[in-house]
Amino acid sequence: MTLSLSQPSSQIFVPDQSDQRRALARTTHLGIGAHPDDLEIFAIDGILECFQNDDAWFSGVVVADGAGSPRHGRYKGHTDERMRQVRRREQKKAATLGEYSVQLLLDHSSNAVKSAERAVIEDLKRVLERTQPKIVYTHSLTDKHDTHVAVALRVVQAFRELPTDQPRARLLGCEVWRDLDWLSEADKVEMKLTGQEHLQQALLGVFDSQITGGKRYDLATLGRRRAHATFAQTHAIDDVTGRVYAMDLTPLVLDKHLDPARYCLQLIDGFRADVEQRILRLGRS
């Protein structure tokens, strides 16, 4: 049975042309992002883990249509509809390059995502039910992009509404619009990247509409990964070529009564306590 999604314009793309049911079922790592190119920024840990690995498969979900993105150069005169088409093509190119199992384009408007329309949550539930991944990457709840945070909240809600007998994946909220290096060491999920920088660069470079459109996401993302690799440890040499950070959102999946805002404030309190304790310890005369 094929996966049924709510939007007539939604797309399900299987790069290797496998049977759709099989491609969904073999998913072990799932990325759920707001816009085309978000997955390649924050879910690179899963993409590289699954690349040319017959025992692990990455699948991607893009929730919003990306129609309102900035445009510059050759894209300056593009209408919202044309930008949607361009960005969908770019995302499918990335899925092919990265050898994803499935690339789903849910094609909801940003307003639908931010207003928590039921169709968004129901689509995410269907995807989670059909893929049953071991690990899910999405946006951080401390991101400063409204649609990114809304996607993360919709993912949490979708998980909470799944049947109780379905295995729960580990859910990670990853950095895009705000770094997560401030998290205390106890709260920080660290994903180490070693090598394959050419593939990382190629995956980001596919999104010409965003780069030519005026934002060097490719350079910024690779630079952040490299910076994290160097500044992660004060008294050790670099042991990897990149690091990506995330917050563990799994507690929000396992405890339906845990408030997302309160959970994030606890993480912030952990950072506050770390700063306070260090200053007090070193400030003593």
Side-chain angles (χ1 to χ4, degrees):
M1 182 176 66
T2 59
L3 176 63
S4 176
L5 298 171
S6 65
Q7 302 304 296
S9 54
S10 65
Q11 297 183 14
I12 302 174
F13 174 63
V14 181
D16 68 359
Q17 300 182 336
S18 293
D19 174 75
Q20 184 191 116
R21 183 190 304 177
R22 176 175 177 269
L24 289 165
R26 68 188 176 187
T27 301
T28 56
H29 298 62
L30 182 69
I32 305 177
H35 308 103
D37 83 352
D38 284 337
L39 298 172
E40 290 66 32
I41 293 174
F42 72 70
I44 191 63
D45 173 73
I47 295 171
L48 295 183
E49 174 68 23
C50 298
F51 185 72
Q52 295 191 354
N53 182 354
D54 292 337
D55 297 321
W57 289 86
F58 178 85
S59 289
V61 180
V62 174
V63 180
D65 58 23
S69 64
R71 53 209 75 175
H72 187 68
R74 70 172 63 91
Y75 304 98
K76 189 173 183 179
H78 280 29
T79 63
D80 282 352
E81 176 55 34
R82 192 171 180 191
M83 283 303 297
R84 286 172 64 197
Q85 295 173 2
V86 168
R87 299 192 72 181
R88 281 196 293 257
R89 286 198 300 269
E90 290 173 339
Q91 186 61 64
K92 287 190 279 190
K93 288 177 183 178
T96 300
L97 179 63
E99 299 182 359
Y100 302 177
S101 187
V102 185
Q103 176 63 61
L104 298 105
L105 300 158
L106 305 188
D107 214 39
H108 291 280
S109 69
S110 288
N111 285 336
V113 178
K114 289 184 285 188
S115 61
E117 289 188 7
R118 283 303 309 177
V120 177
I121 299 169
E122 292 298 330
D123 278 351
L124 290 172
K125 286 169 60 179
R126 293 187 190 101
V127 172
L128 291 171
E129 287 172 341
R130 293 292 296 275
T131 56
Q132 299 194 19
K134 296 178 181 178
I135 183 169
V136 176
Y137 308 86
T138 191
H139 295 283
S140 160
L141 287 177
T142 56
D143 197 290
K144 66 179 180 180
H145 194 305
D146 283 358
T147 311
H148 288 194
V149 175
V151 164
L153 290 171
R154 303 298 88 83
V155 172
V156 169
Q157 185 62 34
F159 263 116
R160 289 177 168 185
E161 294 183 15
L162 290 177
T164 56
D165 60 348
Q166 179 168 326
R168 295 303 192 256
R170 188 183 191 195
L171 179 62
L172 300 180
C174 309
E175 57 193 357
V176 178
W177 289 103
R178 276 200 182 115
D179 292 357
L180 289 174
D181 58 337
W182 56 269
L183 284 166
S184 66
E185 296 307 309
D187 294 326
K188 184 186 300 176
V189 178
E190 182 182 73
M191 293 169 278
K192 297 180 179 181
L193 307 178
T194 302
Q196 292 179 291
E197 289 178 284
H198 62 290
L199 179 58
Q200 297 179 49
Q201 187 173 27
L203 286 166
L204 294 164
V206 162
F207 297 92
D208 182 71
S209 68
Q210 302 308 290
I211 297 170
T212 301
K215 302 289 283 184
R216 290 308 304 264
Y217 293 115
D218 54 339
L219 298 180
T221 300
L222 293 170
R224 174 161 59 192
R225 292 171 187 168
R226 175 68 71 165
H228 283 344
T230 295
F231 290 107
Q233 301 171 341
T234 59
H235 292 77
I237 62 172
D238 297 353
D239 59 346
V240 293
T241 57
R243 276 182 169 85
V244 176
Y245 295 136
M247 57 174 59
D248 192 352
L249 300 181
T250 314
L252 293 171
V253 172
L254 300 178
D255 183 354
K256 296 182 179 181
H257 302 292
L258 183 58
D259 180 73
R262 185 176 296 276
Y263 179 71
C264 286
L265 290 177
Q266 291 173 349
L267 297 177
I268 293 170
D269 286 343
F271 170 66
R272 177 185 178 278
D274 179 73
V275 172
E276 181 181 40
Q277 291 166 11
R278 182 173 283 103
I279 291 175
L280 291 175
R281 174 170 52 84
L282 297 174
R284 297 186 182 121
S285 59

